Amino acid sequence: MSKETTDTANSELPKTNFIHQEIDKDLQQGKNNGKVLTRFPPEPNGYLHIGHAKSICLNFGLGEYYKGGTNLRFDDTNPTKEDTEYVNSIMEDVSWLGFTWTNEPVYTSDYFQQLYDWAVLLILADKAYVDDQTAEQIAAQKGTPTTAGQHSPFRNRTVAENLDLFERMRKGEFKNGEHVLRAKIDMASPNMHMRDPLMYRIIHAHHHRTGNDWCIYPMYDFAHGQSDFYEGITHSICTLEFEVHRPLYEWFLNQILEADPKLKELPKTRQIEFARLNLNYTVMSKRRLLELVNSKIVTGWNDPRMPTISGLRRRGYTPESIRMFADKVGVARRENIIDVSLLEHCVREDLNKKAPRVYAVLNPVKVVITNFAEGEVEWMEAENNPEDDTMGTRTIPFTREIFIERDDFMEGAPSKFFRMDVGREVRLKNAYIVKCESITKDANGEITEIQCTYDANTKSGMEGSNRKVKGTLHWVSVNYSKQITVNLYDRLFKDEDPAGHKDVDFKEFLNPDSLNTINTCWIEPNFMEAGAKFNDGILRFQFQRLGYFCLDMDSKPDSPIFNRTVPLKDSWGKNA
RNA sequence: UGUCUCGUGGUGUAAUGGUAGCACAGCUGGUUUUGGUCCAGCUAGUCAGGGUUCGAAUCCUCGCGAGACAACCA
């Protein structure tokens, strides 16, 4: 790629995606006086998901990179679907990801009067008309992508009549659906969006910000392009499906500029489309996510199994890991389905460096160290993070009775099994090497207790501990550990593309094992000493040898709940 | 039987007429008091045909395939 950078570009952050290249070209041509202003324009009708995160990182990333800025604009032109709950969640999610919008958040509803005035301008120019037909009639006249549409019988109303009707629409003289305002363009256009699209419809509903001031609301197409233009957005970065809308935005803007020439001074927004993010084993449309919430299949928008930003946050994902992910997936115009393993890779990479290690046993079996004195406790030193010495050490109690993971014992184990079996020596991490002498089973053949002896010369740090043994296990003291609840999450769907089956509802592919809550888990007593505070206030840990876990928001001091963010990579488990 | 967009390893993404590279996934091996991390290596790709050119993933052409567009949604 070009090594050149523009004056406004940050050369420390090389970028190669096509949007950067296009913006670089614009800047080299001296457009917009070298300014770059982007925007992120969500409709407040649902929670943000990982696909939005890609868009957020792209738009805010561009704003930062070119030292311009990014507006957060709520696209709130449909009062029946929008709510301040969503406005608040969106601001929280964008902030949590680490981005700052320029000035205060803005709203398309801020421009309702301006948009109305522009609509009047179009009527005056005989470029818009009021149609009295029903939605069905209008749809029938629209034609199909391969056949032309037909003119509305109301298409040739006089300017005066249109003006009068539109004003009365605004005053509330009509019921929902009685009239609409349409642009007069071309019913035979190969682009369906140019076939006399709706500009305004009547909706008698309370708007989350303008209350009952309006009973007519602009359509997205009549609002979005002008909002960008009005705010001085230089580059409007959006997803591919809006490409066919672009000629319409340009048509609207050109009509407005013709009617109001002094606006020609302002820069025209350039829209650039990219392919939206798709992730396998999940669904990404707000409609389907809402369906999961409403049907109580998940506990809410922030259920840790949801691909929402709030769900990922509750799952334990860090903002940095999501930004890393957005960076790694890249930006292009071809359809894509990203493997979730990339997302998991990103959070492991981030948490490996940051998460303090603690000991927890999820599926315990009791081990008795028969030659260790009853009632005695020996405090062992353990590093909080081998990747980061500055995180220090803490002590953990070693006693005669401990729990180990049931999976870490196998009777008659093959030699490839690097764990405990009768007659074998293994290391208890940060403690002693122990040898399994015998086991006790109940009537069902289930192991109820394992008896071991320890070698007093093999305490961690001693020379005797350098002995090569079969494996290293994690453990907790029976008497000193705390009982916890753990949520083990798996993918929500069993199918790679649950929404991709024409004749089968996506909910048919739900994974019945997506949540496994277990209460038989034990954690070392002083796990808080490991220093788990992250910038966002969420407590995250690595449970040694198991995975990354975070403290759930519903935890109480005496009954902690941990959510598994992601297991550690495991080259044994998948062979087993 | 329309218009537009897009086809590079399994998945993403670079290379913009000059050695097809990187990441994830997978597989080896090394280190390791986490079967993690780290390190080294391996596997695997330009949709097909034709053309232009000394030279094509890149330009042209034709075919094939995928996606988008027919809400008083955004």
Side-chain angles (χ1 to χ4, degrees):
Chain A
M1 73 166 262
S2 167
K3 298 287 188 294
E4 298 167 35
T5 51
T6 62
D7 291 344
T8 50
N10 184 341
S11 58
E12 291 166 18
L13 304 167
K15 301 280 181 176
T16 57
N17 73 54
F18 79 98
I19 294 178
H20 274 270
Q21 294 176 8
E22 292 303 315
I23 294 178
D24 286 344
K25 278 186 218 163
D26 288 344
L27 258 18
Q28 277 155 23
Q29 288 170 20
K31 287 189 187 167
N32 312 319
N33 298 318
K35 289 237 161 47
V36 173
L37 183 64
T38 59
R39 105 266 93 112
F40 175 64
E43 183 189 13
N45 68 341
Y47 280 61
L48 262 21
H49 55 61
I50 184 74
H52 294 110
K54 173 181 179 179
S55 178
I56 291 167
C57 293
L58 219 201
N59 276 297
F60 283 91
L62 253 13
E64 288 176 5
Y65 180 85
Y66 291 102
K67 304 194 193 317
T70 303
N71 288 0
L72 174 62
R73 180 172 72 235
F74 291 99
D75 224 329
D76 54 352
T77 56
N78 186 349
T80 63
K81 292 188 175 175
E82 293 144 11
D83 195 275
T84 48
E85 175 198 352
Y86 299 124
V87 170
N88 293 333
S89 75
I90 288 166
M91 291 195 288
E92 181 185 5
D93 288 348
V94 173
S95 300
W96 177 74
L97 281 173
F99 295 106
T100 307
W101 45 86
T102 301
N103 304 318
E104 291 301 304
V106 290
Y107 297 80
T108 303
S109 54
D110 294 341
Y111 316 135
F112 279 172
Q113 184 61 48
Q114 177 65 72
L115 291 165
Y116 178 85
D117 293 343
W118 279 335
V120 169
L121 243 36
L122 291 211
I123 292 171
L124 258 14
D126 198 22
K127 294 289 187 182
Y129 63 96
V130 173
D131 198 329
D132 303 355
Q133 299 182 100
T134 64
E136 292 70 31
Q137 288 170 315
I138 291 173
Q141 286 163 3
K142 197 125 194 172
T144 70
T146 54
T147 60
Q150 296 150 15
H151 283 184
S152 162
F154 299 95
R155 199 174 201 257
N156 291 319
R157 284 221 247 238
T158 63
V159 167
E161 193 179 359
N162 284 321
L163 207 52
D164 175 61
L165 284 167
F166 188 51
E167 281 171 3
R168 288 164 60 196
M169 279 168 67
R170 196 242 148 104
K171 285 180 191 155
E173 292 186 21
F174 307 114
K175 297 195 192 87
N176 287 1
E178 271 187 71
H179 300 280
V180 290
L181 184 71
R182 292 226 264 169
K184 193 186 282 189
I185 311 181
D186 178 8
M187 289 304 290
S189 171
N191 182 341
M192 298 293 289
H193 296 275
M194 301 299 275
R195 321 244 266 224
D196 288 11
L198 266 62
M199 294 164 62
Y200 270 90
R201 75 288 211 198
I202 300 169
I203 303 176
H204 290 278
H206 183 268
H207 185 277
H208 75 115
R209 293 189 75 243
T210 61
N212 297 317
D213 292 352
W214 295 86
C215 62
I216 59 171
Y217 291 90
M219 298 291 289
Y220 171 85
D221 278 331
F222 188 66
H224 195 87
Q226 289 103 292
S227 299
D228 281 345
F229 172 72
Y230 189 84
E231 290 173 16
I233 301 300
T234 59
H235 297 273
S236 184
I237 312 301
C238 64
T239 46
L240 250 24
E241 71 266 29
F242 294 106
E243 182 167 31
V244 286
H245 296 240
R246 201 194 321 143
L248 179 55
Y249 302 158
E250 288 168 359
W251 186 90
F252 279 134
L253 187 55
N254 286 336
Q255 305 311 312
I256 290 166
L257 294 180
E258 212 156 290
D260 191 352
K262 67 175 185 293
L263 293 175
K264 284 183 179 165
E265 310 292 317
L266 299 172
K268 277 193 187 177
T269 307
R270 176 170 178 201
Q271 173 170 304
I272 303 175
E273 307 88 9
F274 69 96
R276 60 164 5 113
L277 173 77
N278 296 290
L279 250 197
N280 60 10
Y281 296 103
T282 191
V283 294
M284 203 70 96
S285 76
K286 278 194 215 171
R287 195 205 92 215
R288 294 195 180 86
L289 294 175
L290 180 63
E291 200 175 329
L292 292 173
V293 172
N294 287 342
S295 61
K296 311 268 192 224
I297 288 168
V298 296
T299 57
W301 286 98
N302 68 346
D303 187 299
R305 293 166 293 181
M306 292 280 272
T308 51
I309 294 176
S310 53
L312 291 166
R313 178 165 62 232
R314 191 167 181 181
R315 177 85 170 244
Y317 276 76
T318 56
E320 292 81 3
S321 67
I322 292 174
R323 292 173 69 150
M324 189 195 308
F325 175 72
D327 198 52
K328 284 184 187 291
V329 298
V331 181
R333 286 177 65 86
R334 68 185 91 108
E335 299 287 332
N336 61 81
I337 302 175
I338 309 292
D339 200 316
V340 285
S341 65
L342 183 61
L343 220 207
E344 294 177 343
H345 162 79
C346 290
V347 76
R348 284 194 191 103
E349 176 156 317
D350 192 36
L351 258 17
N352 177 51
K353 296 193 194 80
K354 298 177 184 167
R357 273 61 169 170
V358 298
Y359 287 83
V361 173
L362 302 189
N363 184 18
V365 61
K366 190 198 277 186
V367 174
V368 178
I369 317 288
T370 54
N371 57 341
F372 195 88
E374 222 160 318
E376 189 178 319
V377 55
E378 186 168 357
W379 291 88
M380 304 297 196
E381 186 172 57
E383 55 198 341
N384 290 329
N385 187 345
E387 302 292 317
D388 183 358
D389 292 342
T390 67
M391 290 177 71
T393 61
R394 70 190 185 288
T395 56
I396 50 178
F398 185 74
T399 54
R400 177 182 167 91
E401 293 190 341
I402 61 171
F403 289 126
I404 65 165
E405 214 67 60
R406 196 165 277 275
D407 288 348
D408 282 340
F409 181 90
M410 186 190 287
E411 196 176 10
S415 64
K416 286 280 188 187
F417 185 77
F418 303 143
R419 308 180 193 181
M420 190 184 281
D421 190 3
V422 178
R424 276 191 186 178
E425 272 195 335
V426 295
R427 185 189 310 280
L428 296 174
K429 191 169 164 68
N430 288 309
Y432 292 100
I433 292 174
V434 296
K435 183 179 182 185
C436 177
E437 306 288 355
S438 55
I439 56 177
T440 306
K441 296 180 182 175
D442 65 14
N444 300 320
E446 186 94 337
I447 297 170
T448 55
E449 189 185 283
I450 296 170
Q451 294 87 33
C452 291
T453 52
Y454 86 108
D455 181 341
N457 296 316
T458 60
K459 183 175 175 178
S460 286
M462 285 182 176
E463 202 152 319
S465 71
N466 294 333
R467 199 157 75 223
K468 191 91 179 155
V469 291
K470 197 67 187 176
T472 301
L473 307 187
H474 64 280
W475 52 275
V476 295
S477 162
V478 168
N479 294 321
Y480 286 79
S481 55
K482 293 179 179 172
Q483 192 163 4
I484 58 173
T485 296
V486 171
N487 292 315
L488 300 177
Y489 295 105
D490 195 0
R491 49 181 60 133
L492 229 199
F493 294 92
K494 292 179 294 186
D495 190 87
E496 267 196 69
D497 184 14
H501 301 263
K502 279 195 181 72
D503 303 318
V504 191
D505 186 81
F506 73 101
K507 297 193 295 303
E508 296 293 313
F509 301 101
L510 282 163
N511 175 10
D513 303 314
S514 61
L515 170 61
N516 181 17
T517 300
I518 46 179
N519 303 300
T520 55
C521 314
W522 300 86
I523 193 168
E524 60 172 279
N526 301 327
F527 65 92
M528 288 297 290
E529 287 178 16
K533 200 80 174 177
F534 280 69
N535 289 335
D536 58 5
I538 294 172
L539 298 168
R540 300 179 177 87
F541 300 89
Q542 184 195 101
F543 289 0
Q544 202 91 237
R545 295 212 307 139
L546 297 174
Y548 297 99
F549 295 74
C550 70
L551 197 65
D552 187 76
M553 55 198 282
D554 284 348
S555 286
K556 298 193 178 65
D558 54 336
S559 58
I561 302 168
F562 286 91
N563 297 332
R564 185 174 66 188
T565 309
V566 65
L568 251 33
K569 283 177 77 174
D570 180 6
S571 54
W572 164 258
K574 65 183 102 178
N575 296 328

